[in-house]
């Protein structure tokens, strides 16, 4: 069962108890204020617009963040302004944005006086479920007041017809209902910006100077900059922060949980426990994990068997190679032994022949000597 349903049922069953004395929980608002003041506040603004309004020298689309530490009285504010540097310069816009906890998106519209660009409509439609969009006509001094009024009506009509959800200042709080209702009628705000200060009367003010006159940034008769600042910072900052958390972030979180299979309703749209869903998903995951482990174990065993078979085959080949080399060695040894025997036989035969020749030679020499002696005896006679 969803937490909101439990809380609602608990509230219906609550019993009102009259107090006999002062308990002290009426100081809870003061406790919240003190805690918030001690911790300080943060407010993040995303500025989206084409490069004609956001000057840059970057080759592609980038997010450039600047953070400022501000203090007014005893309240500290960390203000972060994120610019989409290079937006509108590229053809492929597929990866231009990522979901972040931005509290307000100031979407700057070129002061054409005609209609919104297709890129503006597509981008705002992509962003409206992720962030609070406040449309802004930049450089509004580029067109006349009558053209500006018509341009505002044209923009509002195109946003409605294309289903783009822009941020509406809340009117449910009586303290700000009147001013917010009036400011909703001024959307989109038409602003003029300047980094130069000009002396008007006795004080220096931010303004843009032209040959025909001066446009003051903080003059409500010249542009809506003050209205924008009041609505963002003084009147609706906390609502923008709350909407970011309770609407956009919760929608993002819900979508991510549903992508993971976590839903708070069954197929029949009946609520059921998220804990049960978690347990079911956990059991399913553990089952898949065990199955994966078993598959890995079987794969490991199979690979071990294959490796053992490879080693046995390699061992068999080594034994066969050893036997072949051993037989080859034995054959070579036998050939050498046979050759040695043949040489020995040949040597013995040669020795025998040599001995016989020497004997014959000795006999011949002896016979010759005997014949010589016989002849000498005969001559002496």
């Amino acid at each position: 069962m969803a937490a909101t349903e439990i809380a609602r049922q608990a509230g219906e069953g609550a019993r009102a108890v009259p107090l006999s004395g002062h308990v002290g929980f009426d100081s809870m608002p003061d406790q919240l204020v003190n805690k918030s003041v001690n911790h300080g506040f943060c407010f993040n603004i995303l500025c989206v617009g084409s490069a004609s309004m956001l000057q840059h020298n970057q080759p592609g689309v980038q997010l450039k963040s600047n953070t400022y530490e501000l203090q007014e009285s005893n309240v500290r504010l960390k203000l972060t302004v994120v610019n989409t540097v290079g937006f509108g310069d590229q053809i492929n816009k597929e990866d231009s944005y990522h979901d972040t906890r931005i509290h307000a998106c100031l979407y700057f519209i070129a002061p054409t006086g005609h209609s919104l660009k297709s890129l503006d409509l597509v981008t705002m439609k992509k962003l409206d479920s992720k962030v609070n969009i406040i449309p802004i006509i930049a450089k509004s001094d580029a067109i006349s007041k009558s053209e500006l009024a018509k341009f505002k009506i044209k923009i509002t009509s195109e946003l409605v017809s294309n289903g783009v959800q822009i941020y509406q200042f809340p009117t449910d709080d009586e303290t700000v209902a009147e001013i917010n209702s009036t400011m909703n009628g001024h959307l989109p705000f038409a602003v003029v910006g300047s980094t130069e200060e000009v002396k008007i009367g006795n004080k220096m003010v931010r303004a843009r100077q032209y040959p025909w006159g001066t446009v003051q940034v903080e003059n409500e008769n010249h542009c809506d900059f003050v209205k924008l600042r009041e609505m963002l910072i003084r009147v609706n900052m906390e609502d923008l922060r709350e909407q970011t958390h309770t609407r956009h972030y919760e929608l993002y979180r819900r979508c991510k949980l549903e992508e993971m299979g976590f839903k708070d309703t069954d197929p029949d749209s009946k609520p059921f426990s998220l804990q049960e869903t978690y347990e079911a998903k956990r059991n399913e995951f553990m089952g898949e994990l065990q199955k994966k482990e078993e598959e890995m174990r079987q794969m490991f065993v199979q690979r071990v068997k294959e490796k053992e078979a490879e080693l046995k085959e390699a061992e068999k080949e080594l034994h066969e190679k050893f036997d072949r080399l051993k037989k080859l060695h034995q054959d070579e040894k036998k050939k050498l032994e046979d050759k040695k025997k043949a040489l020995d036989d040949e040597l013995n035969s040669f020795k025998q022949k040599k001995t016989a020749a020497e004997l014959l030679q000795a006999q011949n020499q002896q016979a010759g000597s005997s014949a010589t002696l016989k002849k000498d005896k005969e001559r002496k006679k």
Side-chain angles (χ1 to χ4, degrees):
M1 184 178 294
T4 53
E5 182 67 16
I6 296 174
R8 184 183 65 81
Q9 292 183 7
E12 290 176 353
R15 184 164 57 94
V17 178
L19 299 178
S20 58
H22 183 261
V23 176
F25 59 79
D26 58 352
S27 68
M28 287 182 66
D30 297 329
Q31 296 176 37
L32 290 174
V33 170
N34 293 333
K35 182 178 180 181
S36 298
V37 169
N38 290 334
H39 284 85
F41 299 87
C42 69
F43 191 58
N44 304 324
I45 301 175
L46 173 67
C47 297
V48 182
S50 64
S52 60
M53 289 164 280
L54 301 173
Q55 297 300 321
H56 73 99
N57 56 2
Q58 302 296 329
V61 180
Q62 297 181 6
L63 294 179
K64 185 177 181 181
S65 175
N66 293 297
T67 301
Y68 309 91
E69 296 281 353
L70 309 176
Q71 183 163 348
E72 192 172 53
S73 298
N74 65 332
V75 178
R76 291 177 291 108
L77 173 66
K78 181 180 286 186
L79 176 65
T80 300
V81 180
V82 182
N83 286 330
T84 53
V85 179
F87 173 78
D89 293 349
Q90 312 299 315
I91 298 299
N92 185 1
K93 307 297 186 302
E94 201 62 31
D95 300 320
S96 293
Y97 297 98
H98 303 279
D99 182 63
T100 57
R101 294 199 62 166
I102 294 293
H103 301 117
C105 171
L106 303 184
Y107 195 94
F108 289 92
I109 300 168
T112 61
H114 303 295
S115 60
L116 290 170
K117 299 177 182 178
S118 298
L119 174 62
D120 294 330
L121 289 171
V122 170
T123 304
M124 282 193 276
K125 188 63 180 174
K126 287 282 187 180
L127 289 174
D128 66 1
S129 62
K130 300 177 176 64
V131 69
N132 301 310
I133 299 177
I134 300 176
I136 306 292
I137 300 174
K139 299 180 180 179
S140 61
D141 55 337
I143 55 178
S144 65
K145 285 192 174 182
S146 60
E147 290 175 326
L148 184 59
K150 293 178 183 178
F151 191 36
K152 283 189 174 187
I153 295 172
K154 179 70 173 176
I155 290 172
T156 303
S157 175
E158 289 185 344
L159 292 175
V160 172
S161 61
N162 285 277
V164 177
Q165 301 292 324
I166 64 173
Y167 175 74
Q168 293 290 318
F169 302 121
T171 57
D172 52 352
D173 186 347
E174 293 180 359
T175 59
V176 295
E178 184 177 352
I179 186 173
N180 278 349
S181 179
T182 302
M183 290 299 106
N184 282 330
H186 283 280
L187 290 173
F189 289 133
V191 300
V192 175
S194 176
T195 58
E196 299 179 0
E197 290 190 343
V198 179
K199 189 173 183 179
I200 305 292
N202 295 325
K203 62 178 183 178
M204 301 296 291
V205 297
R206 292 192 181 276
R208 296 176 68 89
Q209 282 189 314
Y210 297 97
W212 46 264
T214 303
V215 178
Q216 300 176 37
V217 173
E218 298 186 42
N219 189 329
E220 292 192 55
N221 293 321
H222 293 181
C223 74
D224 296 331
F225 177 80
V226 173
K227 294 184 178 68
L228 172 63
R229 184 180 65 191
E230 292 288 294
M231 289 298 98
L232 280 181
I233 307 299
R234 187 177 67 84
V235 181
N236 297 299
M237 179 189 288
E238 189 55 34
D239 184 73
L240 286 163
R241 285 156 43 91
E242 183 181 350
Q243 285 290 323
T244 298
H245 180 73
T246 60
R247 180 188 169 199
H248 298 296
Y249 178 70
E250 284 301 316
L251 177 61
Y252 165 78
R253 189 177 68 87
R254 182 187 182 92
C255 291
K256 287 297 179 183
L257 287 173
E258 288 181 353
E259 288 177 6
M260 297 168 61
F262 293 98
K263 298 181 180 180
D264 55 5
T265 57
D266 60 16
D268 298 326
S269 298
K270 295 180 180 179
F272 63 93
S273 171
L274 185 62
Q275 181 66 27
E276 294 178 1
T277 307
Y278 168 77
E279 291 295 337
K281 283 290 178 183
R282 184 178 182 277
N283 293 335
E284 181 182 350
F285 173 77
M286 293 303 295
E288 292 179 356
L289 183 62
Q290 291 177 356
K291 181 180 178 182
K292 194 70 176 178
E293 288 178 351
E294 180 62 24
E295 290 177 355
M296 293 179 67
R297 191 185 69 80
Q298 293 292 341
M299 186 181 298
F300 176 77
V301 171
Q302 181 64 26
R303 287 186 177 179
V304 168
K305 290 181 178 179
E306 291 175 356
K307 197 65 179 178
E308 288 179 347
E310 290 177 4
L311 291 173
K312 287 181 179 180
E313 185 67 23
E315 184 180 7
K316 181 181 178 182
E317 290 179 358
L318 285 174
H319 281 298
E320 291 176 352
K321 187 176 182 180
F322 175 76
D323 292 339
R324 287 197 302 271
L325 291 174
K326 184 178 180 180
K327 185 176 184 302
L328 181 63
H329 173 72
Q330 290 174 347
D331 292 342
E332 290 293 328
K333 183 179 179 181
K334 186 175 185 305
K335 287 181 181 179
L336 289 173
E337 289 176 349
D338 292 343
K339 191 171 184 181
K340 181 176 180 298
K341 183 176 182 303
L343 290 173
D344 289 342
D345 292 345
E346 186 176 349
L347 180 62
N348 293 330
S349 176
F350 174 76
K351 286 179 178 180
Q352 290 176 0
K353 289 180 180 179
K354 181 180 179 183
T355 302
E358 290 176 347
L359 180 61
L360 180 61
Q361 184 178 7
Q363 291 176 352
N364 290 333
Q365 286 179 352
Q366 185 176 5
S369 297
S370 299
T372 301
L373 289 173
K374 185 177 180 180
K375 285 180 180 182
D376 288 338
K377 286 179 179 181
E378 289 177 352
R379 280 198 301 266
K380 289 177 178 182
K381 289 181 178 182

